[in-house]
Every structure is written in structure tokens, then in C-alpha cells.
Amino acid sequence: MANHYNRFMIGQYGAFDEAKYRRDFRTGFCGIEACLFEREEDWSKLIQASRRDGFRIGIHFPLRAGRSELRDALFLALDDEVRAQAFELIGRELDDLIAVKPDYVLFHYPKPVILDDRVDWSGWRFADRREHELESRYSFEELKARSATLFDWLSAAGEAHRFTPVLEFDVLNRYICETDFLERLLDEHPRIRLCLDTGRLHAQDRLDPRFDARSIIRRFARYAEIIHLKNVRITDRPTKSNHPVLPHLSTADGWAPIEDYLRILARENAEAKIMFEHRSDWISDDELERCYRWVDECLNATDA
């Protein structure tokens, strides 16, 4: 039975937390994903640990906090000026990362998200009104044209700076779910890869009656560079976001069918990295070890 720990990663958000690193990281893990660091000294600590212990660094844009009002770059905004500012912001960040040579840089897509007017999105957490537009105000043709521009730009930036651009699915609407335009773009721009977030997929599966998370994973798993692995409990609204995945968390209680997701991934993509985007402080050391072992077991179940 193969051991998949060489595909496993942990996250560091806000700072380089040495206690979390000592507790969560395991020998053989391949990397750390960093986001929103507030102090330069923490960035230096991460680089030093990477060089000392031989792991790779991924960046969840933005690396540094405080550079813009919103975390995510609104590179698909309807407003031309907002869109231009988003590309300028990304460009400045990439210039700062040249010396670090990150393995990948991840951005949320689509951003702003385009919401199906037929769905009640009151249960979805948005940080700011600017993060979303209704489908009735944002046409399919606009999304195709602006996505094509984005893919061209990110492909060129990835080539120039030698990193893999990764697009993490945010809320998905019928433009993506019911057409193949995104697969075509991905096939035309092989440098660009995807991130599938199990918590987001499960949340939309429960909130949007027309959405099927398993189907989306089957369709897009072959393009995935990273899986953001976590659980979330959905009853009338999401709770326990970023909970570690554990085998006893039942779908009958509103938890995501993580084993199903992982078995699909095991069949469709044997290379995607697994980034544990969870609150490990919510569970014991023994439970954390069980989390890692169980994920490894699910990834070995290729005949399921």
C-alpha cells in the first residue's frame, strides 16, 4: 500500500506558527501553504524552515496582509478600473516573490463570484459586497472574455516567474457547471491548475439544489494541483467550518462525504497535493494522527 504523505501539506496563515509546525508537520510532507503574513520576520522564518527541512512553499494570494481592502483580487470585476487594480496588485506581489521561488500561487476563481439568482445565498459567508455579482448582471459572454484574458495573463506570469498559477473554485454558477468553456481554457493553458476545496464544495452542495459536488470533483479532478481538505457541518447553515476530516463525522449529521470525495480523487488524479486546511487545535494529537492515516487509506482505495 502506497504512502501518500509526500503529497501532504499544512497551512500557515497570518504568521509562521512554530508550535503548529512542530505539531502538524510530518516527515515526508511536501510543503506549506502561506497566506496573509503580517510580519516580515515570519516570512523569513518560513523560508529558513523550508531550506532547512526541504519542503516547498505555496502561496495563497496574498502573502502579505494589509496591501488591499479585500483579500482576493477582483480580476473579473465588471468595473474596468477595479479589474486593472487587481492585476496591478498581483503583479506587485509576484515581483516580491521572485527570490522565494514559490511552487505555486493560488487565487480564488471566479472573483467576484457570480451567483445563480435562483438560489438563496444568505447562508454563504461573504466578507464584502464587492465579492459577488448576480448572474442576471454578469453575462456568460463577459465571463468567457474576462476569463480568457485572465488565463493569458496568468500563463505569461507563471512562465516569467516560474510558478504554477492555481485557481481555487469559489462559488460556481451554471456558466461553469453547465458548459465546458472552463475545461477548454484549462486545456489551452496547461500551466494553470485548479484547487478543489472540500468545505466549499460541500457547502454549495447543501445550499444549491442544482449543484452536485461529486460531479464537479469528477469533472475537474484531473486539473487539480491542490485539494484544500477540511470538513464543515451544514444543517440550516454552515457550522464548524475548517474542521479536520475524521472517519466518524457522519453525513447524517450534516458533515461532508469526505471519503467519497477522496475516492473520486484517488481514481481521477494520483498527483494532486492534499493541503490540510483545518483547525488542528480543535482535536487531540491522536485524532490528528488518525486524520492523516485515514486520508492516506482513502487515497489508496482506488478500486472503490
Side-chain angles (χ1 to χ4, degrees):
M1 180 179 289
N3 182 299
H4 296 85
Y5 279 30
N6 63 352
R7 291 165 53 190
F8 289 178
M9 304 178 65
I10 68 168
Q12 290 277 22
Y13 295 89
F16 181 69
D17 185 333
E18 295 191 39
K20 177 180 174 64
Y21 176 56
R22 288 193 300 272
R23 180 174 187 256
D24 292 11
F25 203 81
R26 297 287 186 275
T27 299
F29 277 24
C30 68
I32 287 179
E33 184 176 289
C35 180
L36 289 173
F37 275 31
E38 296 183 355
R39 300 180 303 176
E40 195 69 29
E41 63 188 83
D42 284 303
W43 179 231
S44 297
K45 289 178 182 178
L46 177 62
I47 295 171
Q48 290 167 10
S50 170
R51 292 171 179 168
R52 182 186 68 236
D53 298 335
F55 62 80
R56 293 175 286 178
I57 297 173
I59 304 299
H60 186 307
F61 181 87
L63 172 63
R64 291 172 173 81
R67 286 193 162 184
S68 64
E69 291 184 56
L70 303 179
R71 182 193 67 174
D72 296 322
L74 302 182
F75 40 50
L76 299 179
L78 290 169
D79 185 277
D80 292 345
E81 184 177 350
V82 172
R83 213 163 54 250
Q85 290 171 349
F87 283 105
E88 180 185 2
L89 177 64
I90 296 171
R92 284 192 280 117
E93 178 98 353
L94 293 180
D95 287 341
D96 289 347
L97 293 175
I98 289 176
V100 179
K101 300 179 180 177
D103 191 50
Y104 66 85
V105 183
L106 179 151
F107 309 89
H108 279 229
Y109 174 90
K111 210 69 179 191
V113 298
I114 303 169
L115 300 176
D116 188 330
D117 299 68
R118 301 169 297 179
V119 178
D120 176 8
W121 295 105
S122 59
W124 196 275
R125 183 177 58 195
F126 291 106
D128 190 279
R129 170 60 188 86
R130 290 169 289 179
E131 288 191 316
H132 57 87
E133 294 285 354
L134 288 174
E135 189 179 283
S136 56
R137 295 192 65 247
Y138 201 123
S139 74
F140 183 34
E141 293 305 314
E142 288 173 312
L143 177 61
K144 287 195 293 184
R146 288 177 182 143
S147 293
T149 299
L150 171 67
F151 273 61
D152 287 344
W153 193 93
L154 282 178
S155 289
E159 178 69 26
H161 295 290
R162 295 291 185 266
F163 72 91
T164 298
V166 175
L167 298 178
E168 177 182 349
F169 278 162
D170 214 295
V171 180
L172 301 180
N173 78 333
R174 59 181 174 174
Y175 297 157
I176 293 173
C177 295
E178 298 177 11
T179 77
D180 67 351
F181 98 93
L182 186 57
E183 287 101 322
R184 291 178 180 230
L185 275 178
L186 289 161
D187 288 337
E188 293 166 5
H189 300 80
R191 179 176 283 275
I192 296 178
R193 305 290 288 168
L194 295 180
C195 170
L196 305 179
D197 183 302
T198 59
R200 289 178 182 277
L201 289 167
H202 176 55
Q204 185 166 354
D205 194 87
R206 296 298 297 268
L207 294 173
D208 180 351
R210 299 169 187 84
F211 184 82
D212 183 347
R214 292 177 181 86
S215 175
I216 290 295
I217 295 172
R218 288 189 194 97
R219 276 180 61 189
F220 290 102
R222 65 192 175 102
Y223 300 106
E225 181 78 10
I226 307 288
I227 306 300
H228 277 179
L229 189 62
K230 61 193 177 192
N231 212 330
V232 55
R233 187 182 183 193
I234 313 269
T235 49
D236 56 333
R237 62 193 308 108
T239 58
K240 291 290 184 181
S241 296
N242 294 75
H243 196 284
V245 300
L246 291 165
H248 70 272
L249 299 178
S250 171
T251 56
D253 296 324
W255 295 100
I258 295 296
E259 184 170 358
D260 288 356
Y261 294 171
L262 289 173
R263 288 181 179 229
I264 294 170
L265 182 70
R267 290 194 297 269
E268 302 295 336
N269 186 336
E271 305 298 328
K273 303 176 185 71
I274 307 296
M275 205 286 279
F276 291 91
E277 193 181 46
H278 61 204
R279 288 287 304 272
S280 61
D281 56 310
W282 287 351
I283 59 176
S284 68
D285 291 347
D286 287 343
E287 287 174 315
L288 181 60
E289 189 58 38
R290 180 59 181 135
C291 167
Y292 294 155
R293 290 201 314 271
W294 182 60
V295 171
D296 184 49
E297 291 165 7
C298 290
L299 292 174
N300 272 298
T302 55
D303 58 345

